[in-house]
Amino acid sequence: MGDERGEDRQIAASASGWARLFVSYCQYGVSAVPGASGVSIYTLGDDLLHLGGPSHFTGFCGIHTGWIQVRVRVLPEPPAEADAGWDAISEATLWCPSGRLSVVGLMGGTAEALTDVVVPRGLIRVRVHARDRLHETVRTDDDPPERHELHIWAVSEETPWRTVLADPPGRSWDQKPAKAAEWAMLSLVPRPSSRPAILPPPPSDPYEDDTGLPRVAVVRHRPAPVEAPAGVLPAGDLEVRVERVDGETLKWSWVTADEPIFPHPLVTLPDSEPSIVRLMSGPGGFTLRHEGVLGRHAFALGLIWDHLLDAAGSYPWMQTLRAQAAEAMAQAEKTRRLRAEQEAEQWGGSPPSDRVRGLVSQARSLARIDRALLDRMEALPAVRQREAACWAARRAMRVAGLENIGWIAEALAATEDDHPLPSSFTEKSGATAFNRLLSDPEVPHTTVPLRHASKAFGTSSGTEILQQAVAFPALLALANDDPLVAAIDAVYNAAIAHGDDLDRFLADAHDALT
C-alpha cells in the first residue's frame, strides 16, 4: 500500500512540474558553478539555507536520507510579496556567469529537471520555500511529501542573505561574519598556482565565463550610522586604498603593498580598475553602496563590508596571511639551502661567478676535479687564457700519441701561431675531423680509465675509454672564440685523457698558470 502511494505521488509530482531529488544528511546544494570552493558550511545562514560561496548555497531538509520534491521557477521580475502556504522562506544572491543552475543532493543525487536550469546570467536572487520538513523517524505515509521550491530572478545588486519566514521549530545558528570575511579576502588574493609551468594551462571552465557581463553594486544597510573605513586595508602582498572623495563618496583601489610579506610577492591585482563607495544616511538608517565591482567579486566584497561595518579596524584575514607567509619564507629558505648544497656539490665548493656559471662549457666538470684551477683560469687575462688552452691541447695530443700525426700536428701548430683551425675542425662541432681521427690507420688506439669524481667525493674508476677520443676534444676546444671557454674545455679534456696520471697533469697545469 505504501509503495502504491509513493508511485501515485511520483506521478503527481511529475505532472505538476515537481522533480524528485534524493538527499542525504538533510542537505542539498544549489550551485551555478559546479565544484567551486567557498565558505565552509555553518558559517552564515539560517535553518533553511547556508551560504557556500559566490555561486553556491546549501539547502536544509527535514528528511535525513530519502526523497524530496523540488521545483525551480524563473521569474521575470522580483515577486511583490512572499507566497503563502510555506513553513520557511529564505533567500540569497548568487553569481551565475553561465546562466545555468543546478540543484543536487549532497551525495550526488540529481534530477534532469533540476540540472543546468536556464536562469539569467550575472547576479540572481534565489528565494527558497520549504514545507513539511519532517524527519523520517516521525514521518508517516499519511504525511504530504517534503517540498522545496526555488524562485529565481535577475538582480544588479549583491545584497545579504535573509530569512523571509522562519520555521518556528527551527534552530538558531551562530553567525560567523569574521570567519566569512577572512575567507572572502583570501579568495580575492589567492597565492599563485603551484602547477608546474611546463604543463599547459588547464582548460577554462565554461560555467565561469563572465564575458560581456556588466559590473555590479554591493549594497549593505545598517539601522544606525556607522563609520566606513578610510585609509589602507592590508591584504598581505596587496592592499586596498580607500580614499575619501567627498563627505559621502570613497574610492576603492587595489595596489601592491609597499612591504610585501611573501618571499615571492603577489603582483596581480584582483581588479585593476578603481570602484566607488557611496555612503547614504536617511530615515531608514545607513546604506553603503559599493558600485562598479566585478560580478565574481561581489559576494566576497559583501562579506568584507559586513565585517568592516560592524568591526572597524579588524582584519581577521591577516593572521592567516602572516602564517602562510611565514611558512612560505621557511620553505623558501629550505629551498635556498638545498640549492646551495647542490651547487656546492656540483661546483666543488661555493658557486663561481655568474659569468662562469653561465658558460656553455665543461666548467662544472673541471670544478669537480680541481676547483682552484677553474678559479685561477677565470682570473687570467684573455691572452693568458688562450695560451693555457693551447698548452693543454698540446699536452692532450702528446699523452694520447697524436702530437706527431701530420694533419693533427699541423692544426695544433696553426692555433699556437694564432691561426684558425681548419674548417674540418670547426664545422659541425668538428665532426669531420673526429671521424677522420677514428678512421686514420696512423692513429694509435689506447685506453684510459674514466675518472669522474673529485677528491672531495672520493674517486672512482669507470669504463675504460679510448684515450685518443677523449684527448681530441681538447684540440677542438681551440675553435671557441671565448678564450676562457677554450681554456676550460681544453684543460678538462686533457686532464681526463691523462687517466691515472690526472693528478700529475693538474699539478703541471697549476705550474703552467704561474
Side-chain angles (χ1 to χ4, degrees), residues 392-413:
R394 181 163 290 280
R395 284 292 301 268
M397 298 305 100
R398 182 177 302 161
V399 76
L402 302 176
E403 188 176 23
N404 296 318
I405 303 296
W407 59 279
I408 296 176
E410 292 174 3
L412 180 58

Side-chain angles (χ1 to χ4, degrees), residues 355 374-389 481-488 512-514:
R355 184 196 174 199
L374 174 66
D375 293 339
R376 291 188 63 189
M377 291 168 61
E378 181 189 9
L380 293 174
V383 172
R384 291 283 291 118
Q385 289 171 346
R386 180 63 66 179
E387 291 175 353
D481 293 332
D482 187 330
L484 179 56
V485 174
I488 291 172
L513 298 183
T514 301

